[in-house]
Amino acid sequence: MTARGTDVLVIGAGAVGAAVAHYCTLQGLSVRVVDRGAPGGGTSSRCEGNILVSDKERGPELDLANYSLALWHGELAEHAESWELERKGGIIVASRETSLVSLRRALTAQREHGIEVQEIDAEALLALEPHVSPGAVGAAFYPDDSQVMPMQVVAHLLALARGRGAEVLPYCEVTGLMREGERIIGARTTRGDLPAGAVVDAAGPWAARFSALAGVHLPIAPRRGYVMVTEPLPPRVFHKVYAAEYIDDVGTSDTSLQSSPVVESTPAGSILIGSSREQVGFSDAISREALQRIAANATALFPFLRDVHVLRHYHGFRPYSPDHLPAIGADARATGLWHATGHEGAGIGMSVGTGKLLAQALAGHRPDLDLDPFDPARFGDAAPAGGPR
Amino acid sequence: MTSSPAPDDHVRITVDDVPLSVPVRRTVAAALMLEGRQAGWRVTRRAGAERGLFCGIGVCYDCLATVDGRPGLRTCLVQVADGMDVRTGTVDV
Amino acid sequence: MSEIAAVVVIGAGPAGLAAAAEAARGSDRVLLVDAGPRLGGQFWRHGAKDDLPQAPAPRWHHGWDTYLELRTDLERAEAAGRLEHLASTHVAALDVREDGLLALHLALSPTGEQLTTLLAETVVLCPGAYDRQLPVAGWTLPGVMAAGGVQAFVKVQEQVPGRRVLLAGTGPFLLAAAASVLQAGGEVAAICESGDLTGWVPRGASAALVPGKGREGAQYAALLVRHRVPYLRRRVVSRIHGTDRVESVEISRADDRGAQVPGTAQVLEDIDVVGLGWGFVPQAELLLQAGAASRLDVDGSLVGVVDGEQASSVPGLFLAGEITGVTGASGAVAEGRIAGRAAAGRVSGRAAESSRKDASARSRHRLFASAMHRAHPAPAGWADSLDEGTVVCRCEEVTLAEITAARDELGARDPRSLKGVTRAGMGMCQGRICAAAMTCFGTDPLEAARTTAKRPFALPLTLGTLASAEEGTE
């Protein structure tokens, strides 16, 4: 069975896929979104909903983060309430003089590249976060760091796209690609053939598997992270608060378990506690060690958490990219194939920027930001040793 | 006959600073209901409504109170003890 | 007790007691772990004085002799150093390790403190069940309880949680709960049974399979007649009234789907306790944590798949009692015996001697239970005429209107998506109470049941506890 064709077929209904769909319909393109599960059922429902500039270094990632931030607080501001957007601000806490020194160095560089950041002393930190560990020696405050409820982002962006004619097909798994010569002209799925002018890979950590169907190499690998969720509490943590070591964890390519505390509250009262990073494929085997380390880190940062109950924990798979940059744009190796994946832990925040830029390119316009640094073909054709599983 | 307390012995607890004498077999929830004459004792976050004992066996987490300084305890599972201090209202860590 | 237990039995209800007693005959390294302070589980829940020597059998209990026999067996095994009972201990998580051992993460109940890890060669999981609930307008008012909660209250307090009680829902357990209220000196305003019980004669053919059930039913019937308690069939609670606690209850006729028929309401005044129950939900989180195969039973419960020896799909993990299908205490004892013997046999390498008596009791009780479940279905139409403002998720206070809006406007078509968008099932109870309702919003019942029963911790743990977990044996 072959369905009516669309201009764009988006593979993956997570935050990135939903944003691509939203912006494509705004460009007047006809859109269909498929997901092998429920919308938002992958990484988007297993993360914290970060919109961060504080963990970025200068370069194309920061440009994309800033571009996205402007969209969240600009043209998408009218939906802020539906996805619980909070410009809560981020605080990086240094617990030792040595980490304060490296924090200072980082924030000086960030400030030069337009990130709004203030260094605050221990006293000012306690004014902003009265319950933080009294052992902190200093901190950096990033007023622009924000948070959303990612499942709401997915649901509402897809609803907006549907309102402009997009079709969303959940529980629809891609089994192969339709081709005309070398050109990709749609996808074969468990719900029939879906022809399209452009097929967009928004498969997140599963992008390597999907790309393999298209015959191209894209070394996006799953990087597992745990989040613990506490019982609902009256407000006690007011910003996204994390330790200076978190930045190092984000930037590393080490595959073993790293953990550094990230603590933030949600509008519903629960506190979300991260984070860990480990490359264990798509393993669901519980790491008690990761949970214990996250708990120990978090209680060191906020001692009151010792008496707070954790109701559940979950893990998600971030789409890890070897050079820490996402893959966005047309794939020169397979005409008709486009990518929007590989954002690692920043996919929610950068989803809207990614969606808008890709939609501009798909509609034949010049994107607001140069997509060259995100060129999906930059990884080459051969799978390097230790590549994606 | 023995020195162990008879099962119908009473213990003294305080509920929001009010002293109560309750049989030793009471759970905190039952003491709140029978001796404390309360139907509900936890206030919900959203509707500000009172909740009390619902499932009675530790499954629903509706009957929470602070017992001896420990917040969020399921009162249906906590046995009273002499000198126990119970705080009701919004569960606040 | 050496470092690695041969058999760990989780749960000290009818199935667990029987499993532990049998396991201790075949092994001298048996551990019985239970969240309660005393043996007995929910079925034989009792107060401290009921365990005193020469204490009379509590009048609301059935099969108390069986309890006493099992307790005596366990005391002997404990005295002989073959068995240890860890009371007030909750299994927070159950992992299957790569070396085939099972790791149990234990915490004190009810505080959730002191997390320790215990390794076991085999586990017999007997976690029991709790009342299935369906939302009804006013059910968050204090005074509204689970029918099982009303009975549990009587069993320990020897008093009724109020004065005049209405019991509603479906199933023979409503009769048992009503009987305990009467025996404790309370008044039962009525029992509302949503089913019409066509084809279900408690003293008929199915009951002949298990004579004990027939006797039990006849005793309840006599008691209810003596106290003139109306037993109303095809009747459901349509709204519970009250300002800060239950005051009166509106009941309505039920249609074939168990939905309230508008315009048939009748108000019962002067009610201060409502006990609601639509059958029972087995506690499946440890089953799912271990990754054991599960299926939907006749009553819609998610249960573990077992073979003739009560072995699950996970090597070394045995299941007994309600977790294999809600069958009641006598069936649970039979399953527990089989599972306990099989677990000890697996460790010793000696094949368990099968007992034809236990196997036959197990099949009779299972047959009886499926007939009972078919006669007392949880109503598919519970939401048909429900007030839109009714709270579905009690913890996060999510209403039916919010859930249907998320489904219709945002395309959230399964419990997991609905949870993500509305928070239904995200609260303190982790979806235990709203699961039955939320699974009805899914298109795939089995997947929906698995999703709503998945809980990575079986009870909340403090971060301080998690941070200082003793993972010494690993």
Side-chain angles (χ1 to χ4, degrees):
Chain A
M1 193 196 79
T2 302
R4 140 193 90 80
T6 51
D7 296 326
V8 178
L9 173 65
V10 182
I11 312 300
V16 173
V20 169
H22 168 68
Y23 280 106
C24 282
T25 57
L26 280 180
Q27 289 285 352
L29 300 168
S30 63
V31 177
R32 182 180 279 131
V33 187
V34 300
D35 196 290
R36 65 176 179 166
T43 307
S44 299
S45 57
R46 297 164 187 276
C47 62
E48 295 171 294
N50 288 330
I51 303 177
L52 300 186
V53 291
S54 54
D55 64 345
K56 307 287 184 293
E57 289 169 21
R58 77 171 182 143
E61 196 193 9
L62 179 59
D63 297 340
L64 181 57
N66 277 326
Y67 179 73
S68 299
L69 189 68
L71 296 179
W72 286 112
H73 295 297
E75 62 183 58
L76 293 168
E78 59 177 306
H79 308 294
E81 216 166 289
S82 32
W83 45 57
E84 298 181 7
L85 174 72
E86 275 191 296
R87 191 187 214 130
K88 56 165 61 170
I91 297 178
I92 303 182
V93 176
S95 309
R96 291 184 303 271
E97 288 297 338
T98 48
S99 45
L100 187 59
V101 171
S102 29
L103 182 60
R104 264 189 203 129
R105 201 179 311 129
L107 67 88
T108 309
Q110 284 174 322
R111 200 179 281 134
E112 279 168 19
H113 295 95
I115 294 183
E116 200 184 333
V117 51
Q118 302 148 18
E119 187 187 336
I120 53 177
D121 62 14
E123 197 182 332
L125 172 63
L126 283 174
L128 288 175
E129 288 291 344
H131 301 283
V132 81
S133 166
V137 293
F141 175 54
Y142 299 79
D144 282 336
D145 276 1
S146 307
Q147 190 185 17
V148 283
M149 216 256 209
M151 284 293 274
Q152 295 277 17
V153 168
V154 173
H156 285 276
L157 284 176
L158 287 177
L160 290 171
R162 271 201 308 266
R164 284 185 302 270
E167 185 185 18
V168 181
L169 293 179
Y171 301 101
C172 175
E173 189 159 2
V174 174
T175 54
L177 288 159
M178 300 164 65
R179 289 172 191 275
E180 198 176 74
E182 289 298 293
R183 191 186 165 82
I184 288 170
I185 55 154
R188 303 193 188 285
T189 76
T190 49
R191 291 173 72 170
D193 289 352
L194 305 174
V199 175
V200 178
D201 155 29
W206 295 275
R209 286 185 189 176
F210 171 75
S211 297
L213 290 177
V216 298
H217 168 64
L218 194 73
I220 303 299
R223 198 177 191 191
R224 189 165 83 164
Y226 276 98
V227 175
M228 292 202 254
V229 186
T230 72
E231 62 190 311
L233 299 170
R236 202 64 63 87
V237 177
F238 302 93
H239 304 82
K240 179 189 176 75
V241 184
Y242 53 107
E245 309 90 73
Y246 178 81
I247 306 265
D248 298 335
D249 279 3
V250 172
T252 181
S253 301
D254 195 337
T255 56
S256 64
L257 172 66
Q258 290 113 41
S259 58
S260 51
V262 182
V263 178
E264 63 198 304
S265 53
T266 64
S270 302
I271 296 176
L272 301 182
I273 297 171
S275 74
S276 61
R277 285 164 196 271
E278 55 187 327
Q279 274 176 253
V280 289
F282 286 106
S283 169
D284 287 324
I286 304 291
S287 167
R288 299 282 160 203
E289 187 195 352
L291 295 173
Q292 182 170 4
R293 275 163 63 170
I294 292 169
N297 289 337
T299 52
L301 192 56
F302 281 100
F304 83 91
L305 286 174
R306 296 193 72 79
D307 296 324
V308 172
H309 292 96
V310 174
L311 299 188
R312 63 196 170 102
H313 59 77
Y314 55 81
H315 60 269
F317 298 101
R318 307 174 182 93
Y320 166 81
S321 164
D323 60 3
H324 304 284
L325 284 181
I328 305 169
D331 194 321
R333 301 163 297 181
T335 313
L337 177 66
W338 299 63
H339 297 275
T341 182
H343 300 76
E344 196 171 351
I348 303 296
M350 302 201 290
S351 62
V352 292
T354 301
K356 185 163 183 177
L357 296 171
L358 195 72
Q360 288 166 342
L362 280 160
H365 305 305
R366 189 194 166 88
D368 291 343
L369 287 185
D370 177 16
L371 291 179
D372 284 352
F374 309 117
D375 181 7
R378 69 184 184 275
F379 302 108
D381 283 333
R389 298 201 241 174
Chain B
M1 191 175 75
T2 68
S3 58
S4 61
D8 283 325
D9 273 1
H10 280 56
V11 294
R12 299 197 63 83
I13 66 170
T14 54
V15 177
D16 301 324
D17 299 319
V18 178
L20 289 180
S21 172
V22 306
V24 289
R25 66 166 169 271
R26 292 277 182 266
T27 59
V28 171
L32 288 168
M33 290 169 83
L34 297 175
E35 281 77 24
R37 313 221 166 273
Q38 297 189 44
W41 51 85
R42 181 178 70 90
V43 180
T44 62
R45 282 173 296 130
R46 206 170 156 188
E50 280 209 344
R51 295 282 176 84
L53 185 66
F54 180 67
C55 80
I57 58 170
V59 173
C60 76
Y61 293 80
D62 243 346
C63 67
L64 307 181
T66 300
V67 179
D68 288 338
R70 241 198 225 101
L73 278 191
R74 291 166 286 172
T75 56
C76 67
L77 298 185
V78 180
Q79 199 78 21
V80 295
D82 209 32
M84 188 176 261
D85 178 64
V86 180
R87 305 269 151 190
T88 68
T90 309
V91 173
D92 194 351
V93 174
Chain C
M1 189 71 54
S2 69
E3 243 181 43
I4 299 172
V7 183
V8 176
V9 178
I10 302 175
L17 292 178
E22 282 301 320
R25 284 186 228 285
S27 167
D28 58 2
R29 287 179 294 134
V30 180
L31 203 62
L32 173 60
V33 183
D34 185 63
R38 281 176 289 281
L39 300 173
Q42 301 307 336
F43 187 74
W44 287 315
R45 176 187 280 263
H46 59 276
K49 78 170 191 189
D50 300 319
D51 272 337
L52 294 177
Q54 273 87 50
R59 53 197 183 278
W60 28 76
H61 274 298
H62 283 269
W64 190 251
D65 288 349
T66 310
Y67 166 70
L68 293 179
E69 281 164 30
L70 290 169
R71 195 186 70 189
T72 308
D73 283 356
L74 294 183
E75 282 165 357
R76 286 199 188 119
E78 221 170 351
R82 303 176 69 79
L83 176 140
E84 195 184 322
H85 171 211
L86 290 183
S88 302
T89 304
H90 207 118
V91 181
L94 177 60
D95 300 335
V96 181
R97 304 205 325 172
E98 276 177 17
D99 61 6
L101 291 175
L102 296 152
L104 296 90
H105 303 276
L106 309 177
L108 293 182
S109 175
T111 57
E113 290 167 352
Q114 289 184 28
L115 199 59
T116 53
T117 303
L118 170 74
L119 297 182
E121 290 177 61
T122 64
V123 166
V124 185
L125 179 63
C126 314
Y130 48 85
D131 301 80
R132 179 178 289 114
Q133 294 299 340
L134 292 173
V136 58
W139 74 313
T140 53
L141 278 171
V144 180
M145 292 176 65
V150 173
Q151 201 194 39
F153 194 99
V154 169
K155 284 174 175 175
V156 175
Q157 307 305 327
E158 308 190 350
Q159 247 174 289
V160 182
R163 199 179 44 76
R164 204 163 112 92
V165 182
L166 175 80
L167 290 153
T170 191
F173 179 71
L174 296 177
L175 302 175
S180 38
V181 168
L182 295 171
Q183 286 165 327
E187 193 185 331
V188 176
I191 300 172
C192 294
E193 162 63 56
S194 66
D196 63 4
L197 311 190
T198 310
W200 173 246
V201 187
R203 287 176 298 279
S206 303
L209 291 166
V210 280
K213 289 277 183 204
R215 273 199 303 279
E216 202 179 310
Q219 285 165 11
Y220 293 148
L223 194 64
L224 297 178
V225 167
R226 192 159 7 111
H227 289 268
R228 299 168 194 279
V229 175
Y231 183 63
L232 310 171
R233 291 172 195 189
R234 284 190 84 133
R235 219 67 65 88
V236 290
V237 169
S238 43
R239 184 175 289 274
I240 301 166
H241 297 283
T243 43
D244 45 19
R245 64 162 304 150
V246 178
E247 286 160 21
S248 64
V249 180
E250 180 191 291
I251 61 173
S252 297
R253 293 207 160 275
D255 65 16
D256 289 341
R257 287 165 46 82
Q260 47 182 282
V261 179
T264 62
Q266 170 195 353
V267 175
L268 301 179
E269 297 289 353
D270 192 26
I271 307 278
D272 59 358
V273 173
V274 180
L276 301 172
W278 306 91
F280 292 92
V281 181
Q283 313 221 52
E285 56 260 9
L286 296 179
L287 178 84
L288 296 183
Q289 285 177 17
S294 56
R295 63 177 177 91
L296 281 183
D297 202 15
V298 204
D299 61 346
S301 294
L302 185 74
V303 299
V305 175
V306 286
D307 67 9
E309 301 277 77
Q310 301 294 127
S312 76
S313 65
V314 172
L317 178 65
F318 296 81
L319 314 172
E322 316 297 39
I323 192 65
T324 72
V326 174
T327 40
S330 308
V333 167
E335 289 192 9
R337 285 205 172 103
I338 297 168
R341 269 196 298 270
R346 181 184 162 88
V347 175
S348 68
R350 287 187 297 272
E353 266 181 53
S354 60
S355 152
R356 207 180 292 170
K357 196 174 138 226
D358 289 331
S360 123
R362 176 177 64 187
S363 32
R364 279 184 286 117
H365 282 284
R366 282 182 183 169
L367 268 175
F368 178 86
S370 34
M372 188 265 286
H373 290 317
R374 271 188 279 271
H376 294 281
W382 63 270
D384 289 1
S385 323
L386 193 66
D387 188 317
E388 285 245 294
T390 303
V391 165
V392 173
C393 165
R394 297 170 60 98
C395 298
E396 293 295 315
E397 303 177 271
V398 184
T399 64
L400 180 65
E402 291 169 304
I403 290 166
T404 49
R407 180 190 62 190
D408 300 339
E409 290 156 32
L410 295 178
R413 300 281 156 80
D414 61 282
R416 189 162 177 267
S417 302
L418 284 166
K419 177 176 165 182
V421 176
T422 67
R423 307 192 57 79
M426 255 191 210
M428 283 303 290
C429 89
Q430 288 293 286
R432 285 175 174 90
I433 303 298
C434 66
M438 294 307 295
T439 52
C440 300
F441 294 100
T443 42
D444 179 344
L446 178 59
E447 193 46 42
R450 284 183 183 143
T451 303
T452 52
K454 203 175 160 190
R455 284 175 273 276
F457 287 141
L459 86 167
L461 301 171
T462 67
L463 280 151
T465 301
L466 282 164
S468 54
E470 283 175 34
E471 305 280 340
T473 44
E474 285 188 290

